[in-house]
Amino acid sequence: MLEIEPYMSRLHYETSHWDDAIHDYRETERKKWNIKNTVVINRIRKLAFPPSVPQLQLVHVLDLAKKGVIKPHIDSVRFCGNTIAGLSLLSDSVMRLRHDAQKDHICDVYLPRFSLYIMNNIARYEFTHEILGEKESMFQKKVVPRERRISIMCRNEPEITMEDGPTFKTPDQAQEQ
């Protein structure tokens, strides 16, 4: 936090993201980190991604205000690959996964402060994910108080092929060929 807070505090909270998925947030991407944080980010990368999987070099930093929300969405395969590893900072929160076709298939995931979550494959492409707002933030019938939340996210590169025009594949789909 000491490394990113001076920069983040100069940014204004945005009311809505370009795809309307995030509200009351600010964000940035970083490539260079101090030595202490580089060690942490490298540990996350080693845990989340096999050595052969190319990773996006920029680490996404998302600062969600106390009243901010991440609405249900499935990330575009154009911008990142099949895996996201996120480190939750500052506040506990609840991530809801909902099956995109079978809407009654719901899984709430408690993300305590300082937790690491890794989403890949089916969780990334068949389920929407969201961070519940402070009014809905409950886990196992208990209120999970929401404060400002910062997440540090590492992602792998998208798999892009150009055979019949641009198409985007997950690493699992590419291995099936």
Side-chain angles (χ1 to χ4, degrees), residues 43-79:
R43 284 179 60 201
I44 292 169
R45 289 180 185 277
K46 186 176 180 180
L47 180 64
F49 306 102
S52 62
V53 173
Q55 299 166 37
L56 294 175
Q57 293 304 302
L58 294 173
V59 175
H60 187 199
V61 180
L62 180 64
D63 180 345
L64 199 60
K66 178 178 177 155
K67 64 180 181 173
V69 295
I70 300 176
K71 293 167 57 174
H73 68 285
I74 294 176
D75 295 325
S76 172
V77 295
R78 286 185 278 174
F79 303 114

Short mmCIF file of all heavy atoms in Angstrom, two decimals, residues 43-79:
data_model
loop_
_atom_site.label_atom_id
_atom_site.label_comp_id
_atom_site.label_asym_id
_atom_site.label_seq_id
_atom_site.Cartn_x
_atom_site.Cartn_y
_atom_site.Cartn_z
N ARG A 43 5.73 -14.24 -6.26
CA ARG A 43 5.14 -15.41 -5.59
C ARG A 43 3.74 -15.69 -6.12
O ARG A 43 3.37 -16.85 -6.34
CB ARG A 43 5.08 -15.19 -4.08
CG ARG A 43 6.44 -15.34 -3.40
CD ARG A 43 6.36 -15.11 -1.91
NE ARG A 43 5.46 -16.05 -1.27
CZ ARG A 43 4.91 -15.84 -0.08
NH1 ARG A 43 5.16 -14.75 0.60
NH2 ARG A 43 4.11 -16.74 0.43
N ILE A 44 2.96 -14.63 -6.33
CA ILE A 44 1.61 -14.80 -6.89
C ILE A 44 1.70 -15.39 -8.29
O ILE A 44 1.01 -16.34 -8.63
CB ILE A 44 0.86 -13.44 -6.93
CG1 ILE A 44 0.56 -12.97 -5.50
CG2 ILE A 44 -0.42 -13.54 -7.76
CD1 ILE A 44 0.07 -11.54 -5.41
N ARG A 45 2.59 -14.83 -9.11
CA ARG A 45 2.74 -15.31 -10.49
C ARG A 45 3.17 -16.79 -10.51
O ARG A 45 2.65 -17.58 -11.30
CB ARG A 45 3.77 -14.47 -11.23
CG ARG A 45 3.31 -13.05 -11.54
CD ARG A 45 4.41 -12.30 -12.28
NE ARG A 45 4.13 -10.92 -12.54
CZ ARG A 45 3.42 -10.46 -13.57
NH1 ARG A 45 2.89 -11.30 -14.43
NH2 ARG A 45 3.24 -9.16 -13.74
N LYS A 46 4.09 -17.17 -9.64
CA LYS A 46 4.58 -18.55 -9.61
C LYS A 46 3.47 -19.51 -9.19
O LYS A 46 3.37 -20.62 -9.72
CB LYS A 46 5.77 -18.65 -8.65
CG LYS A 46 6.43 -20.00 -8.65
CD LYS A 46 7.67 -20.00 -7.77
CE LYS A 46 8.31 -21.38 -7.79
NZ LYS A 46 9.50 -21.44 -6.95
N LEU A 47 2.64 -19.09 -8.27
CA LEU A 47 1.54 -19.93 -7.80
C LEU A 47 0.42 -20.05 -8.84
O LEU A 47 -0.13 -21.13 -9.04
CB LEU A 47 0.96 -19.34 -6.50
CG LEU A 47 -0.19 -20.09 -5.85
CD1 LEU A 47 0.26 -21.47 -5.40
CD2 LEU A 47 -0.73 -19.30 -4.67
N ALA A 48 0.12 -18.96 -9.54
CA ALA A 48 -1.05 -18.92 -10.42
C ALA A 48 -0.80 -19.41 -11.84
O ALA A 48 -1.72 -19.88 -12.49
CB ALA A 48 -1.60 -17.50 -10.47
N PHE A 49 0.44 -19.29 -12.32
CA PHE A 49 0.71 -19.56 -13.73
C PHE A 49 1.83 -20.56 -13.91
O PHE A 49 2.91 -20.40 -13.34
CB PHE A 49 1.10 -18.26 -14.45
CG PHE A 49 0.10 -17.15 -14.27
CD1 PHE A 49 0.33 -16.13 -13.37
CD2 PHE A 49 -1.09 -17.14 -15.00
CE1 PHE A 49 -0.59 -15.12 -13.20
CE2 PHE A 49 -2.01 -16.13 -14.83
CZ PHE A 49 -1.76 -15.11 -13.92
N PRO A 50 1.62 -21.58 -14.74
CA PRO A 50 2.72 -22.49 -15.07
C PRO A 50 3.83 -21.72 -15.78
O PRO A 50 3.58 -20.70 -16.43
CB PRO A 50 2.08 -23.51 -16.03
CG PRO A 50 0.61 -23.40 -15.80
CD PRO A 50 0.36 -21.98 -15.37
N PRO A 51 5.08 -22.19 -15.69
CA PRO A 51 6.21 -21.47 -16.30
C PRO A 51 6.06 -21.22 -17.80
O PRO A 51 6.56 -20.24 -18.32
CB PRO A 51 7.41 -22.38 -16.03
CG PRO A 51 7.00 -23.26 -14.91
CD PRO A 51 5.51 -23.39 -14.98
N SER A 52 5.34 -22.08 -18.50
CA SER A 52 5.22 -21.95 -19.95
C SER A 52 4.15 -20.94 -20.38
O SER A 52 4.02 -20.64 -21.57
CB SER A 52 4.89 -23.31 -20.56
OG SER A 52 3.65 -23.78 -20.06
N VAL A 53 3.37 -20.41 -19.45
CA VAL A 53 2.27 -19.51 -19.80
C VAL A 53 2.76 -18.06 -19.78
O VAL A 53 3.19 -17.56 -18.74
CB VAL A 53 1.09 -19.68 -18.81
CG1 VAL A 53 0.01 -18.64 -19.05
CG2 VAL A 53 0.51 -21.09 -18.94
N PRO A 54 2.70 -17.38 -20.93
CA PRO A 54 3.13 -15.98 -20.96
C PRO A 54 2.16 -15.09 -20.19
O PRO A 54 0.94 -15.23 -20.31
CB PRO A 54 3.15 -15.63 -22.45
CG PRO A 54 2.36 -16.67 -23.14
CD PRO A 54 2.29 -17.87 -22.24
N GLN A 55 2.71 -14.19 -19.39
CA GLN A 55 1.90 -13.33 -18.53
C GLN A 55 1.95 -11.88 -19.02
O GLN A 55 2.93 -11.44 -19.60
CB GLN A 55 2.42 -13.40 -17.10
CG GLN A 55 2.35 -14.78 -16.51
CD GLN A 55 3.15 -14.89 -15.25
OE1 GLN A 55 3.20 -13.96 -14.46
NE2 GLN A 55 3.81 -16.01 -15.06
N LEU A 56 0.86 -11.18 -18.75
CA LEU A 56 0.86 -9.74 -18.99
C LEU A 56 1.86 -9.12 -18.02
O LEU A 56 1.84 -9.43 -16.83
CB LEU A 56 -0.53 -9.15 -18.78
CG LEU A 56 -1.62 -9.60 -19.75
CD1 LEU A 56 -2.97 -9.03 -19.35
CD2 LEU A 56 -1.27 -9.18 -21.17
N GLN A 57 2.73 -8.28 -18.51
CA GLN A 57 3.75 -7.67 -17.66
C GLN A 57 3.17 -6.59 -16.74
O GLN A 57 3.68 -6.36 -15.65
CB GLN A 57 4.88 -7.11 -18.50
CG GLN A 57 5.68 -8.19 -19.22
CD GLN A 57 6.23 -9.23 -18.26
OE1 GLN A 57 6.97 -8.90 -17.33
NE2 GLN A 57 5.86 -10.48 -18.45
N LEU A 58 2.11 -5.94 -17.20
CA LEU A 58 1.48 -4.91 -16.38
C LEU A 58 0.56 -5.56 -15.35
O LEU A 58 -0.25 -6.43 -15.67
CB LEU A 58 0.69 -3.94 -17.25
CG LEU A 58 1.51 -3.09 -18.21
CD1 LEU A 58 0.61 -2.30 -19.13
CD2 LEU A 58 2.44 -2.16 -17.44
N VAL A 59 0.69 -5.13 -14.11
CA VAL A 59 -0.15 -5.61 -13.02
C VAL A 59 -1.27 -4.58 -12.83
O VAL A 59 -1.01 -3.38 -12.75
CB VAL A 59 0.67 -5.76 -11.72
CG1 VAL A 59 -0.22 -6.13 -10.55
CG2 VAL A 59 1.77 -6.80 -11.91
N HIS A 60 -2.50 -5.06 -12.81
CA HIS A 60 -3.67 -4.20 -12.69
C HIS A 60 -3.94 -3.89 -11.23
O HIS A 60 -4.02 -4.81 -10.41
CB HIS A 60 -4.87 -4.90 -13.33
CG HIS A 60 -6.09 -4.06 -13.43
ND1 HIS A 60 -7.33 -4.59 -13.60
CD2 HIS A 60 -6.27 -2.72 -13.41
CE1 HIS A 60 -8.22 -3.62 -13.67
NE2 HIS A 60 -7.60 -2.48 -13.56
N VAL A 61 -4.09 -2.62 -10.90
CA VAL A 61 -4.42 -2.18 -9.55
C VAL A 61 -5.80 -1.55 -9.62
O VAL A 61 -6.00 -0.56 -10.33
CB VAL A 61 -3.38 -1.17 -9.02
CG1 VAL A 61 -3.75 -0.72 -7.61
CG2 VAL A 61 -1.98 -1.75 -9.06
N LEU A 62 -6.76 -2.11 -8.89
CA LEU A 62 -8.13 -1.62 -8.88
C LEU A 62 -8.49 -1.18 -7.47
O LEU A 62 -8.43 -1.97 -6.53
CB LEU A 62 -9.10 -2.71 -9.37
CG LEU A 62 -10.57 -2.33 -9.42
CD1 LEU A 62 -10.82 -1.22 -10.43
CD2 LEU A 62 -11.41 -3.55 -9.75
N ASP A 63 -8.88 0.08 -7.34
CA ASP A 63 -9.25 0.68 -6.06
C ASP A 63 -10.76 0.93 -6.10
O ASP A 63 -11.24 1.76 -6.85
CB ASP A 63 -8.48 2.00 -5.91
CG ASP A 63 -8.77 2.75 -4.62
OD1 ASP A 63 -9.76 2.43 -3.94
OD2 ASP A 63 -7.99 3.66 -4.32
N LEU A 64 -11.49 0.17 -5.30
CA LEU A 64 -12.95 0.26 -5.26
C LEU A 64 -13.34 1.04 -4.00
O LEU A 64 -12.98 0.65 -2.89
CB LEU A 64 -13.52 -1.16 -5.22
CG LEU A 64 -14.97 -1.39 -5.61
CD1 LEU A 64 -15.24 -0.94 -7.04
CD2 LEU A 64 -15.32 -2.86 -5.44
N ALA A 65 -14.06 2.15 -4.18
CA ALA A 65 -14.51 2.95 -3.04
C ALA A 65 -15.44 2.12 -2.15
O ALA A 65 -15.98 1.11 -2.58
CB ALA A 65 -15.23 4.20 -3.54
N LYS A 66 -15.65 2.57 -0.92
CA LYS A 66 -16.54 1.85 -0.01
C LYS A 66 -17.90 1.59 -0.64
O LYS A 66 -18.46 0.51 -0.51
CB LYS A 66 -16.70 2.63 1.29
CG LYS A 66 -17.63 1.96 2.27
CD LYS A 66 -17.78 2.69 3.57
CE LYS A 66 -18.79 1.96 4.42
NZ LYS A 66 -18.62 2.19 5.82
N LYS A 67 -18.43 2.57 -1.36
CA LYS A 67 -19.74 2.40 -2.00
C LYS A 67 -19.64 1.77 -3.38
O LYS A 67 -20.65 1.54 -4.04
CB LYS A 67 -20.47 3.74 -2.07
CG LYS A 67 -19.78 4.75 -2.94
CD LYS A 67 -20.54 6.06 -2.99
CE LYS A 67 -19.78 7.01 -3.91
NZ LYS A 67 -20.50 8.22 -4.17
N GLY A 68 -18.43 1.46 -3.84
CA GLY A 68 -18.22 0.92 -5.18
C GLY A 68 -18.65 -0.53 -5.31
O GLY A 68 -18.74 -1.27 -4.33
N VAL A 69 -18.93 -0.92 -6.56
CA VAL A 69 -19.31 -2.29 -6.86
C VAL A 69 -18.66 -2.73 -8.16
O VAL A 69 -18.32 -1.92 -9.00
CB VAL A 69 -20.85 -2.48 -6.99
CG1 VAL A 69 -21.55 -2.21 -5.69
CG2 VAL A 69 -21.41 -1.62 -8.10
N ILE A 70 -18.49 -4.02 -8.27
CA ILE A 70 -18.16 -4.64 -9.54
C ILE A 70 -19.38 -5.48 -9.89
O ILE A 70 -19.71 -6.44 -9.19
CB ILE A 70 -16.88 -5.50 -9.46
CG1 ILE A 70 -15.70 -4.64 -9.03
CG2 ILE A 70 -16.62 -6.18 -10.80
CD1 ILE A 70 -14.41 -5.40 -8.83
N LYS A 71 -20.06 -5.08 -10.96
CA LYS A 71 -21.29 -5.74 -11.37
C LYS A 71 -20.98 -7.07 -12.06
O LYS A 71 -19.86 -7.29 -12.51
CB LYS A 71 -22.08 -4.81 -12.29
CG LYS A 71 -22.59 -3.57 -11.57
CD LYS A 71 -23.10 -2.49 -12.49
CE LYS A 71 -24.18 -2.91 -13.42
NZ LYS A 71 -24.74 -1.79 -14.21
N PRO A 72 -21.99 -7.97 -12.13
CA PRO A 72 -21.76 -9.28 -12.76
C PRO A 72 -21.27 -9.13 -14.20
O PRO A 72 -21.87 -8.39 -14.98
CB PRO A 72 -23.13 -9.95 -12.73
CG PRO A 72 -23.96 -9.17 -11.77
CD PRO A 72 -23.37 -7.80 -11.69
N HIS A 73 -20.19 -9.82 -14.51
CA HIS A 73 -19.64 -9.77 -15.87
C HIS A 73 -18.71 -10.96 -16.09
O HIS A 73 -18.24 -11.59 -15.14
CB HIS A 73 -18.87 -8.46 -16.11
CG HIS A 73 -17.62 -8.36 -15.31
ND1 HIS A 73 -17.61 -8.10 -13.95
CD2 HIS A 73 -16.32 -8.52 -15.66
CE1 HIS A 73 -16.37 -8.08 -13.52
NE2 HIS A 73 -15.55 -8.34 -14.53
N ILE A 74 -18.47 -11.25 -17.35
CA ILE A 74 -17.44 -12.21 -17.76
C ILE A 74 -16.40 -11.39 -18.51
O ILE A 74 -16.74 -10.67 -19.45
CB ILE A 74 -18.02 -13.33 -18.64
CG1 ILE A 74 -19.00 -14.19 -17.82
CG2 ILE A 74 -16.90 -14.20 -19.23
CD1 ILE A 74 -19.71 -15.27 -18.62
N ASP A 75 -15.16 -11.48 -18.09
CA ASP A 75 -14.11 -10.70 -18.72
C ASP A 75 -13.92 -11.08 -20.18
O ASP A 75 -14.06 -12.24 -20.55
CB ASP A 75 -12.77 -10.90 -17.98
CG ASP A 75 -12.81 -10.37 -16.56
OD1 ASP A 75 -13.47 -9.36 -16.31
OD2 ASP A 75 -12.16 -10.99 -15.70
N SER A 76 -13.59 -10.10 -20.99
CA SER A 76 -13.35 -10.34 -22.40
C SER A 76 -12.04 -11.10 -22.59
O SER A 76 -11.03 -10.78 -21.97
CB SER A 76 -13.28 -9.01 -23.15
OG SER A 76 -12.85 -9.22 -24.47
N VAL A 77 -12.06 -12.09 -23.48
CA VAL A 77 -10.85 -12.85 -23.77
C VAL A 77 -9.87 -12.04 -24.61
O VAL A 77 -8.72 -12.44 -24.80
CB VAL A 77 -11.16 -14.19 -24.48
CG1 VAL A 77 -11.95 -15.09 -23.56
CG2 VAL A 77 -11.88 -13.97 -25.79
N ARG A 78 -10.29 -10.91 -25.11
CA ARG A 78 -9.39 -10.06 -25.91
C ARG A 78 -8.31 -9.40 -25.06
O ARG A 78 -7.27 -9.02 -25.58
CB ARG A 78 -10.18 -8.98 -26.63
CG ARG A 78 -10.96 -9.53 -27.79
CD ARG A 78 -11.62 -8.42 -28.53
NE ARG A 78 -12.85 -8.08 -27.81
CZ ARG A 78 -13.63 -7.06 -28.10
NH1 ARG A 78 -13.31 -6.25 -29.06
NH2 ARG A 78 -14.72 -6.85 -27.42
N PHE A 79 -8.56 -9.23 -23.77
CA PHE A 79 -7.65 -8.45 -22.95
C PHE A 79 -6.77 -9.29 -22.03
O PHE A 79 -5.73 -8.81 -21.59
CB PHE A 79 -8.44 -7.43 -22.12
CG PHE A 79 -9.27 -6.52 -22.98
CD1 PHE A 79 -10.64 -6.56 -22.92
CD2 PHE A 79 -8.66 -5.66 -23.89
CE1 PHE A 79 -11.42 -5.73 -23.74
CE2 PHE A 79 -9.42 -4.83 -24.70
CZ PHE A 79 -10.79 -4.87 -24.62
#
